[in-house]
Amino acid sequence: MKETLVLNMGPQHPATHGVLRLVLELEGEVILNLEPVIGYLHTGFEKEMETRTYHQNIVFPPRIEYLATFIEEQAYVLAVEKLLGITAPKRAEVIRLILAELSRIASHLVYLGTAAIDLNVTSLLMYCFRDREEILDIFEMVSGQRMMHGYFRIGGLQWDLPQGFAERVQRFLDDFPRRLDEYETLLTDNLIWRKRTEGVAVLSAEDAIRYGCTGPVLRGSGVSYDVRKAFPYGGYADYEFDVPVGSNGDAFDRYRVRMDEMRQSRRIILQALRRLPEGPILVDDRKVALPPRRELVRSMEAVIHQFKLVSEGIHPPAGEVYASVESPRGEKGYYLVSDGSNRPVRVRVRSASFNNLQALPVMLSRGTVADVVVAIASIDIVLGDVDR
Amino acid sequence: MTRPEDVLVQRLGETVLEQVRFRDDLTLIVPREQMLRALEIARSTGFRLLTDLTAVDRHPAQPRFDVIYMLTSVEQHARIRFMVHLAAEQTMPSATSLWPGANWLEREVFDLFGIRFDGHPDLRRILMPDDWEGHPLRKDYPLVEEPVEFKGHTPKVPSQIIPKSKPKPL
């Protein structure tokens, strides 16, 4: 019998992108067995969300997945809106969409930078974070916060866009393709990068489906499934964009898919900026949204509505809904169960990272230790999202 | 054009106890014993992606648990939800033979709700520590504030600031 070595990687390890522990069984350099051990970041979000009102819960989603914060908020408010049977006004919808796509770019930039630094391309991390910083500045300008915004409301938005928003986004987008091309020349034409990612961490389309993978992991394997196209939400049906797919299902294809997705996101935002309509940013439903401030001094009814909404909250009808969005990591869904009271009975967060991480042992079967780092980076997990 | 959900409902026939349609979501309620067969039929009808597997605790109502399966057809762009009513002491058959991806999802349900899955290859806790007692997402598992060291303050659970209103069933 050959001797094997059990190697513990993590939970604190710079290449695991968070607190993830891997137990590897090795024969020399070759991985015989790999078991991800998770739960180090489990904070009980689902339980917490059961004990608060629908409005209070808006603070949790961006904390679950902290790289694509607006997409998280969008997922949650869309689920509650589906439960209530309402839709946000057109202007709010378009603003949400712009911010969500900016979040996608910001998140993919973090992927790019960290995946590159895992293979010792150190300069790219700084470039990517510089660009991400611009996006976070835009977020701060809109919501007052760089990350945990709490800007989306059930039925709309907290307030309207600040002056100069469109110009600032436009300026960022004008410069962005040039920078993206620059990063691509650093990696796509880089011999080391190609040798370390091509044919590494391969996942077949069949396995990707069997393990419930979504997002760039599934699309990298050649399955064209994007929630924005398959089950259009939040106005995506009106926009022109392509769904990039890979063919080999390796780390390199996932990288290509994400690079192309950033270009598609830019395309969507440009269309959205052009058609950003005027109008209200919050539904005119006093049982859902707070009355405007100016009404409070004149109308007793408005004061009562304000009081009821703040002290009790929204009462959706009894029922169960599932609403999902395409996050940078895949399908992010919220399954809400309501009993007609002001608190949800159950909030289930369907996280893409959880399922994608489960396929890691398949990607790495008979792989080498050095490929572990590449594989983890290529599925782009957020441990907060895995453990919730 | 017939929708994939309708084709599936037709193929399942008698297996479906009840159909619930709410806000365009279709939920099929299936008896526990028929669940695996129903999932297999759904998979062969095109619902190949097990999007989610989770549970709801209806305590103190009976039967206590609902186990929920969400399936997606990636080619035909359709979704379906299965629900099984489960009494507190009952177990579920494991879906790991159909989808290896059900492995972690079932472990999570076991961890947080204490529902056991028969035939699961490795039913251990996944999110909570191995020596944890109780199953946190059960309704009779209390959410409490940690005690503080200083005087003059009684910890208040943040969730008690706005009390829960009375449920209004459909």
Side-chain angles (χ1 to χ4, degrees), chain A residues 15-60:
Chain A
T16 54
H17 297 223
V19 267
L20 167 70
R21 181 175 157 224
L22 298 171
V23 182
L24 308 159
E25 193 187 345
L26 305 172
E27 188 188 299
E29 279 282 299
V30 180
I31 301 163
L32 296 181
N33 250 319
L34 183 156
E35 201 208 341
V37 181
I38 60 171
Y40 293 94
L41 222 54
H42 179 61
T43 29
F45 280 115
E46 290 176 0
K47 181 84 173 174
E48 288 277 356
M49 287 172 92
E50 281 174 14
T51 62
R52 281 168 169 79
T53 65
Y54 290 90
H55 178 77
Q56 285 177 309
N57 279 339
I58 294 176
V59 302
F60 290 115

CSV table of all heavy atoms in Angstrom, one decimal, chain A residues 15-60:
chain,number,residue,atom,x,y,z
A,15,ALA,N,-5.0,32.0,0.1
A,15,ALA,CA,-5.5,31.7,-1.2
A,15,ALA,C,-6.9,31.0,-1.2
A,15,ALA,O,-7.4,30.6,-2.2
A,15,ALA,CB,-4.6,30.7,-1.9
A,16,THR,N,-7.5,31.0,0.0
A,16,THR,CA,-8.9,30.4,0.1
A,16,THR,C,-10.0,31.4,0.0
A,16,THR,O,-11.1,31.1,0.1
A,16,THR,CB,-9.0,29.5,1.4
A,16,THR,OG1,-8.7,30.3,2.5
A,16,THR,CG2,-8.2,28.3,1.3
A,17,HIS,N,-9.6,32.7,-0.2
A,17,HIS,CA,-10.6,33.8,-0.4
A,17,HIS,C,-11.6,33.9,0.7
A,17,HIS,O,-12.7,34.2,0.5
A,17,HIS,CB,-11.3,33.6,-1.7
A,17,HIS,CG,-10.4,33.6,-2.9
A,17,HIS,ND1,-10.7,34.3,-4.0
A,17,HIS,CD2,-9.2,33.1,-3.1
A,17,HIS,CE1,-9.7,34.2,-4.9
A,17,HIS,NE2,-8.8,33.5,-4.3
A,18,GLY,N,-11.1,33.7,1.9
A,18,GLY,CA,-12.0,33.7,3.1
A,18,GLY,C,-11.7,32.6,4.0
A,18,GLY,O,-10.6,32.0,4.0
A,19,VAL,N,-12.6,32.3,5.0
A,19,VAL,CA,-12.3,31.3,5.9
A,19,VAL,C,-12.8,29.9,5.4
A,19,VAL,O,-13.9,29.5,5.7
A,19,VAL,CB,-12.8,31.6,7.3
A,19,VAL,CG1,-11.7,32.2,8.1
A,19,VAL,CG2,-14.0,32.5,7.3
A,20,LEU,N,-12.1,29.3,4.6
A,20,LEU,CA,-12.4,28.0,4.1
A,20,LEU,C,-11.3,27.0,4.4
A,20,LEU,O,-10.1,27.3,4.3
A,20,LEU,CB,-12.5,28.1,2.5
A,20,LEU,CG,-12.6,26.7,1.8
A,20,LEU,CD1,-13.9,26.0,2.0
A,20,LEU,CD2,-12.5,27.0,0.3
A,21,ARG,N,-11.7,25.8,4.9
A,21,ARG,CA,-10.7,24.8,5.2
A,21,ARG,C,-10.8,23.7,4.2
A,21,ARG,O,-11.9,23.2,3.9
A,21,ARG,CB,-10.9,24.3,6.6
A,21,ARG,CG,-9.9,23.3,7.1
A,21,ARG,CD,-10.1,23.0,8.5
A,21,ARG,NE,-9.5,21.6,8.8
A,21,ARG,CZ,-10.1,20.7,9.5
A,21,ARG,NH1,-11.3,20.9,10.0
A,21,ARG,NH2,-9.6,19.6,9.6
A,22,LEU,N,-9.7,23.2,3.7
A,22,LEU,CA,-9.7,22.0,2.8
A,22,LEU,C,-8.8,21.0,3.4
A,22,LEU,O,-7.7,21.2,3.9
A,22,LEU,CB,-9.1,22.4,1.5
A,22,LEU,CG,-9.8,23.5,0.7
A,22,LEU,CD1,-9.0,23.9,-0.5
A,22,LEU,CD2,-11.2,23.0,0.2
A,23,VAL,N,-9.4,19.7,3.4
A,23,VAL,CA,-8.6,18.6,3.9
A,23,VAL,C,-8.2,17.8,2.6
A,23,VAL,O,-9.1,17.3,1.9
A,23,VAL,CB,-9.4,17.7,4.9
A,23,VAL,CG1,-8.5,16.6,5.4
A,23,VAL,CG2,-9.8,18.6,6.0
A,24,LEU,N,-6.9,17.8,2.4
A,24,LEU,CA,-6.5,17.1,1.1
A,24,LEU,C,-5.8,15.8,1.5
A,24,LEU,O,-5.0,15.8,2.4
A,24,LEU,CB,-5.5,18.0,0.4
A,24,LEU,CG,-5.9,19.4,0.1
A,24,LEU,CD1,-4.6,20.3,-0.2
A,24,LEU,CD2,-6.7,19.4,-1.1
A,25,GLU,N,-6.1,14.8,0.7
A,25,GLU,CA,-5.3,13.5,0.9
A,25,GLU,C,-4.4,13.4,-0.3
A,25,GLU,O,-4.9,13.4,-1.5
A,25,GLU,CB,-6.2,12.3,1.0
A,25,GLU,CG,-5.5,11.1,1.5
A,25,GLU,CD,-6.3,9.9,1.5
A,25,GLU,OE1,-7.6,10.0,1.4
A,25,GLU,OE2,-5.8,8.8,1.6
A,26,LEU,N,-3.1,13.3,-0.1
A,26,LEU,CA,-2.2,13.4,-1.2
A,26,LEU,C,-1.4,12.2,-1.4
A,26,LEU,O,-1.0,11.5,-0.4
A,26,LEU,CB,-1.2,14.6,-1.0
A,26,LEU,CG,-1.8,16.0,-0.8
A,26,LEU,CD1,-0.7,16.9,-0.4
A,26,LEU,CD2,-2.5,16.4,-2.0
A,27,GLU,N,-1.1,11.9,-2.6
A,27,GLU,CA,-0.1,10.9,-2.9
A,27,GLU,C,1.0,11.6,-3.7
A,27,GLU,O,0.8,11.8,-4.9
A,27,GLU,CB,-0.7,9.7,-3.7
A,27,GLU,CG,0.2,8.6,-3.9
A,27,GLU,CD,-0.3,7.5,-4.8
A,27,GLU,OE1,-1.4,7.0,-4.5
A,27,GLU,OE2,0.3,7.3,-5.8
A,28,GLY,N,2.0,12.0,-3.0
A,28,GLY,CA,3.0,12.9,-3.7
A,28,GLY,C,2.3,14.3,-4.0
A,28,GLY,O,1.8,14.9,-3.0
A,29,GLU,N,2.3,14.6,-5.2
A,29,GLU,CA,1.7,15.9,-5.6
A,29,GLU,C,0.2,15.7,-6.0
A,29,GLU,O,-0.5,16.7,-6.1
A,29,GLU,CB,2.4,16.5,-6.8
A,29,GLU,CG,3.7,17.2,-6.5
A,29,GLU,CD,3.4,18.6,-6.0
A,29,GLU,OE1,2.8,19.4,-6.7
A,29,GLU,OE2,3.8,18.9,-4.8
A,30,VAL,N,-0.2,14.5,-6.1
A,30,VAL,CA,-1.5,14.2,-6.7
A,30,VAL,C,-2.6,14.2,-5.6
A,30,VAL,O,-2.4,13.5,-4.6
A,30,VAL,CB,-1.5,12.9,-7.5
A,30,VAL,CG1,-2.9,12.7,-8.1
A,30,VAL,CG2,-0.5,13.1,-8.6
A,31,ILE,N,-3.7,14.8,-5.9
A,31,ILE,CA,-4.8,14.8,-4.9
A,31,ILE,C,-5.7,13.5,-5.0
A,31,ILE,O,-6.2,13.3,-6.1
A,31,ILE,CB,-5.7,16.0,-5.1
A,31,ILE,CG1,-4.9,17.3,-4.9
A,31,ILE,CG2,-6.9,16.0,-4.1
A,31,ILE,CD1,-5.6,18.5,-5.4
A,32,LEU,N,-5.7,12.7,-4.0
A,32,LEU,CA,-6.6,11.6,-4.0
A,32,LEU,C,-8.0,11.9,-3.5
A,32,LEU,O,-9.0,11.4,-4.0
A,32,LEU,CB,-6.0,10.4,-3.1
A,32,LEU,CG,-4.7,9.9,-3.6
A,32,LEU,CD1,-4.3,8.8,-2.6
A,32,LEU,CD2,-4.7,9.3,-5.0
A,33,ASN,N,-8.1,12.7,-2.5
A,33,ASN,CA,-9.3,13.1,-1.9
A,33,ASN,C,-9.3,14.5,-1.5
A,33,ASN,O,-8.2,15.0,-1.1
A,33,ASN,CB,-9.5,12.2,-0.7
A,33,ASN,CG,-10.6,11.2,-0.8
A,33,ASN,OD1,-11.6,11.6,-1.4
A,33,ASN,ND2,-10.3,10.0,-0.4
A,34,LEU,N,-10.4,15.2,-1.6
A,34,LEU,CA,-10.4,16.6,-1.1
A,34,LEU,C,-11.8,16.8,-0.5
A,34,LEU,O,-12.8,16.5,-1.0
A,34,LEU,CB,-10.3,17.5,-2.4
A,34,LEU,CG,-10.2,19.0,-2.1
A,34,LEU,CD1,-9.5,19.6,-3.3
A,34,LEU,CD2,-11.6,19.6,-2.0
A,35,GLU,N,-11.7,17.4,0.7
A,35,GLU,CA,-13.0,17.7,1.4
A,35,GLU,C,-13.0,19.1,1.9
A,35,GLU,O,-12.2,19.5,2.7
A,35,GLU,CB,-13.2,16.7,2.6
A,35,GLU,CG,-14.7,16.7,2.9
A,35,GLU,CD,-14.9,16.3,4.4
A,35,GLU,OE1,-13.9,15.8,5.0
A,35,GLU,OE2,-16.0,16.6,4.9
A,36,PRO,N,-13.9,19.9,1.3
A,36,PRO,CA,-14.0,21.3,1.8
A,36,PRO,C,-14.8,21.2,3.2
A,36,PRO,O,-15.8,20.5,3.3
A,36,PRO,CB,-14.9,22.0,0.8
A,36,PRO,CG,-14.9,21.1,-0.4
A,36,PRO,CD,-14.7,19.7,0.1
A,37,VAL,N,-14.3,22.0,4.1
A,37,VAL,CA,-14.9,22.1,5.4
A,37,VAL,C,-15.4,23.5,5.6
A,37,VAL,O,-14.6,24.4,5.6
A,37,VAL,CB,-14.0,21.7,6.6
A,37,VAL,CG1,-14.7,21.7,7.9
A,37,VAL,CG2,-13.4,20.3,6.4
A,38,ILE,N,-16.7,23.7,5.7
A,38,ILE,CA,-17.2,25.1,5.7
A,38,ILE,C,-17.9,25.4,7.0
A,38,ILE,O,-18.0,24.5,7.9
A,38,ILE,CB,-18.1,25.3,4.5
A,38,ILE,CG1,-19.3,24.4,4.5
A,38,ILE,CG2,-17.4,25.2,3.2
A,38,ILE,CD1,-20.4,24.7,3.5
A,39,GLY,N,-18.4,26.5,7.1
A,39,GLY,CA,-19.2,26.9,8.3
A,39,GLY,C,-18.5,27.9,9.2
A,39,GLY,O,-19.1,28.3,10.2
A,40,TYR,N,-17.3,28.2,8.9
A,40,TYR,CA,-16.5,29.1,9.8
A,40,TYR,C,-17.1,30.6,9.8
A,40,TYR,O,-16.9,31.3,10.7
A,40,TYR,CB,-15.1,29.2,9.4
A,40,TYR,CG,-14.3,27.9,9.6
A,40,TYR,CD1,-14.2,27.0,8.6
A,40,TYR,CD2,-13.8,27.6,10.8
A,40,TYR,CE1,-13.6,25.8,8.8
A,40,TYR,CE2,-13.2,26.4,11.1
A,40,TYR,CZ,-13.0,25.5,10.0
A,40,TYR,OH,-12.4,24.3,10.3
A,41,LEU,N,-17.9,30.9,8.8
A,41,LEU,CA,-18.5,32.2,8.7
A,41,LEU,C,-20.0,32.2,8.8
A,41,LEU,O,-20.7,33.1,8.5
A,41,LEU,CB,-18.1,32.8,7.3
A,41,LEU,CG,-17.7,34.3,7.3
A,41,LEU,CD1,-16.6,34.5,8.3
A,41,LEU,CD2,-17.2,34.7,6.0
A,42,HIS,N,-20.5,31.0,9.4
A,42,HIS,CA,-21.9,30.9,9.6
A,42,HIS,C,-22.4,31.9,10.6
A,42,HIS,O,-22.0,31.8,11.8
A,42,HIS,CB,-22.3,29.5,9.9
A,42,HIS,CG,-23.8,29.3,10.1
A,42,HIS,ND1,-24.7,29.5,9.1
A,42,HIS,CD2,-24.5,28.9,11.2
A,42,HIS,CE1,-25.9,29.3,9.6
A,42,HIS,NE2,-25.8,28.9,10.8
A,43,THR,N,-23.3,32.8,10.3
A,43,THR,CA,-23.8,33.8,11.2
A,43,THR,C,-25.3,33.7,11.4
A,43,THR,O,-25.8,34.6,12.1
A,43,THR,CB,-23.4,35.2,10.7
A,43,THR,OG1,-23.3,35.2,9.3
A,43,THR,CG2,-22.0,35.6,11.3
A,44,GLY,N,-25.9,32.7,10.8
A,44,GLY,CA,-27.3,32.6,11.1
A,44,GLY,C,-28.2,33.7,10.5
A,44,GLY,O,-29.2,34.1,11.1
A,45,PHE,N,-27.9,34.1,9.3
A,45,PHE,CA,-28.7,35.2,8.6
A,45,PHE,C,-30.1,34.8,8.5
A,45,PHE,O,-31.1,35.5,8.7
A,45,PHE,CB,-28.1,35.5,7.3
A,45,PHE,CG,-26.9,36.5,7.3
A,45,PHE,CD1,-25.7,36.1,6.9
A,45,PHE,CD2,-27.1,37.7,7.8
A,45,PHE,CE1,-24.6,36.9,7.0
A,45,PHE,CE2,-26.0,38.6,7.9
A,45,PHE,CZ,-24.8,38.2,7.5
A,46,GLU,N,-30.3,33.5,8.1
A,46,GLU,CA,-31.7,33.1,7.8
A,46,GLU,C,-32.6,33.1,9.1
A,46,GLU,O,-33.7,33.5,9.1
A,46,GLU,CB,-31.7,31.6,7.2
A,46,GLU,CG,-31.1,31.6,5.8
A,46,GLU,CD,-31.0,30.2,5.2
A,46,GLU,OE1,-31.3,29.2,5.9
A,46,GLU,OE2,-30.5,30.1,4.1
A,47,LYS,N,-32.0,32.7,10.2
A,47,LYS,CA,-32.7,32.8,11.5
A,47,LYS,C,-32.9,34.3,11.9
A,47,LYS,O,-34.0,34.6,12.3
A,47,LYS,CB,-31.8,32.1,12.6
A,47,LYS,CG,-32.4,32.1,13.9
A,47,LYS,CD,-33.4,30.9,14.1
A,47,LYS,CE,-33.9,30.8,15.5
A,47,LYS,NZ,-34.9,29.8,15.6
A,48,GLU,N,-31.9,35.1,11.7
A,48,GLU,CA,-32.1,36.5,12.0
A,48,GLU,C,-33.2,37.1,11.2
A,48,GLU,O,-34.0,37.9,11.7
A,48,GLU,CB,-30.8,37.3,11.7
A,48,GLU,CG,-29.7,37.0,12.7
A,48,GLU,CD,-29.8,37.8,14.0
A,48,GLU,OE1,-30.7,38.6,14.1
A,48,GLU,OE2,-28.9,37.6,14.9
A,49,MET,N,-33.3,36.8,10.0
A,49,MET,CA,-34.2,37.4,9.1
A,49,MET,C,-35.7,37.0,9.4
A,49,MET,O,-36.6,37.7,9.1
A,49,MET,CB,-33.9,37.1,7.6
A,49,MET,CG,-32.7,37.9,7.1
A,49,MET,SD,-32.1,37.4,5.5
A,49,MET,CE,-33.0,38.6,4.5
A,50,GLU,N,-35.8,35.8,10.0
A,50,GLU,CA,-37.1,35.4,10.5
A,50,GLU,C,-37.7,36.2,11.6
A,50,GLU,O,-38.8,36.2,11.9
A,50,GLU,CB,-37.1,33.9,11.0
A,50,GLU,CG,-37.0,32.9,9.9
A,50,GLU,CD,-36.8,31.5,10.5
A,50,GLU,OE1,-37.0,31.3,11.7
A,50,GLU,OE2,-36.5,30.6,9.7
A,51,THR,N,-36.8,36.9,12.3
A,51,THR,CA,-37.2,37.6,13.6
A,51,THR,C,-37.3,39.1,13.4
A,51,THR,O,-37.4,39.8,14.4
A,51,THR,CB,-36.2,37.3,14.7
A,51,THR,OG1,-34.9,37.8,14.3
A,51,THR,CG2,-36.1,35.8,15.0
A,52,ARG,N,-37.2,39.5,12.1
A,52,ARG,CA,-37.3,41.0,11.9
A,52,ARG,C,-38.3,41.2,10.8
A,52,ARG,O,-38.7,40.3,10.1
A,52,ARG,CB,-35.9,41.5,11.4
A,52,ARG,CG,-35.0,41.7,12.6
A,52,ARG,CD,-33.6,42.0,12.0
A,52,ARG,NE,-32.6,42.5,13.0
A,52,ARG,CZ,-32.0,41.7,13.9
A,52,ARG,NH1,-32.3,40.4,13.9
A,52,ARG,NH2,-31.2,42.2,14.8
A,53,THR,N,-38.7,42.5,10.7
A,53,THR,CA,-39.7,42.8,9.7
A,53,THR,C,-39.1,42.8,8.3
A,53,THR,O,-37.9,42.9,8.2
A,53,THR,CB,-40.4,44.2,10.0
A,53,THR,OG1,-39.4,45.2,9.8
A,53,THR,CG2,-41.0,44.2,11.4
A,54,TYR,N,-39.9,42.8,7.3
A,54,TYR,CA,-39.4,42.8,5.9
A,54,TYR,C,-38.5,44.0,5.6
A,54,TYR,O,-37.6,43.9,4.9
A,54,TYR,CB,-40.6,42.8,4.9
A,54,TYR,CG,-41.4,41.4,5.0
A,54,TYR,CD1,-42.4,41.2,5.8
A,54,TYR,CD2,-41.0,40.4,4.2
A,54,TYR,CE1,-43.1,40.0,5.9
A,54,TYR,CE2,-41.6,39.2,4.2
A,54,TYR,CZ,-42.7,39.0,5.1
A,54,TYR,OH,-43.3,37.8,5.1
A,55,HIS,N,-38.9,45.1,6.2
A,55,HIS,CA,-38.1,46.3,5.9
A,55,HIS,C,-36.8,46.2,6.6
A,55,HIS,O,-35.7,46.6,6.1
A,55,HIS,CB,-38.9,47.6,6.3
A,55,HIS,CG,-38.1,48.8,6.1
A,55,HIS,ND1,-38.0,49.4,4.9
A,55,HIS,CD2,-37.4,49.6,7.0
A,55,HIS,CE1,-37.2,50.5,5.0
A,55,HIS,NE2,-36.9,50.6,6.3
A,56,GLN,N,-36.8,45.8,7.9
A,56,GLN,CA,-35.5,45.7,8.7
A,56,GLN,C,-34.6,44.8,8.0
A,56,GLN,O,-33.3,45.0,8.1
A,56,GLN,CB,-35.8,45.2,10.1
A,56,GLN,CG,-36.4,46.2,11.0
A,56,GLN,CD,-36.8,45.6,12.3
A,56,GLN,OE1,-37.4,44.6,12.4
A,56,GLN,NE2,-36.4,46.3,13.4
A,57,ASN,N,-35.1,43.8,7.3
A,57,ASN,CA,-34.2,42.7,6.7
A,57,ASN,C,-33.4,43.2,5.5
A,57,ASN,O,-32.5,42.5,5.1
A,57,ASN,CB,-35.1,41.6,6.2
A,57,ASN,CG,-35.4,40.6,7.4
A,57,ASN,OD1,-34.7,40.6,8.4
A,57,ASN,ND2,-36.5,39.9,7.2
A,58,ILE,N,-33.7,44.4,5.0
A,58,ILE,CA,-32.9,44.9,3.9
A,58,ILE,C,-31.4,45.0,4.2
A,58,ILE,O,-30.6,44.9,3.4
A,58,ILE,CB,-33.5,46.3,3.4
A,58,ILE,CG1,-34.9,46.1,2.8
A,58,ILE,CG2,-32.6,46.9,2.3
A,58,ILE,CD1,-35.5,47.4,2.4
A,59,VAL,N,-31.1,45.2,5.5
A,59,VAL,CA,-29.7,45.4,5.8
A,59,VAL,C,-28.9,44.1,5.7
A,59,VAL,O,-27.7,44.1,5.6
A,59,VAL,CB,-29.5,45.9,7.3
A,59,VAL,CG1,-30.2,47.2,7.4
A,59,VAL,CG2,-29.9,44.9,8.3
A,60,PHE,N,-29.5,42.9,5.7
A,60,PHE,CA,-28.8,41.7,5.7
A,60,PHE,C,-28.2,41.2,4.4
A,60,PHE,O,-27.0,40.8,4.3
A,60,PHE,CB,-29.6,40.5,6.3
A,60,PHE,CG,-29.9,40.7,7.8
A,60,PHE,CD1,-31.1,40.9,8.3
A,60,PHE,CD2,-28.8,40.6,8.7
A,60,PHE,CE1,-31.4,41.0,9.6
A,60,PHE,CE2,-29.0,40.7,10.0
A,60,PHE,CZ,-30.3,41.0,10.5
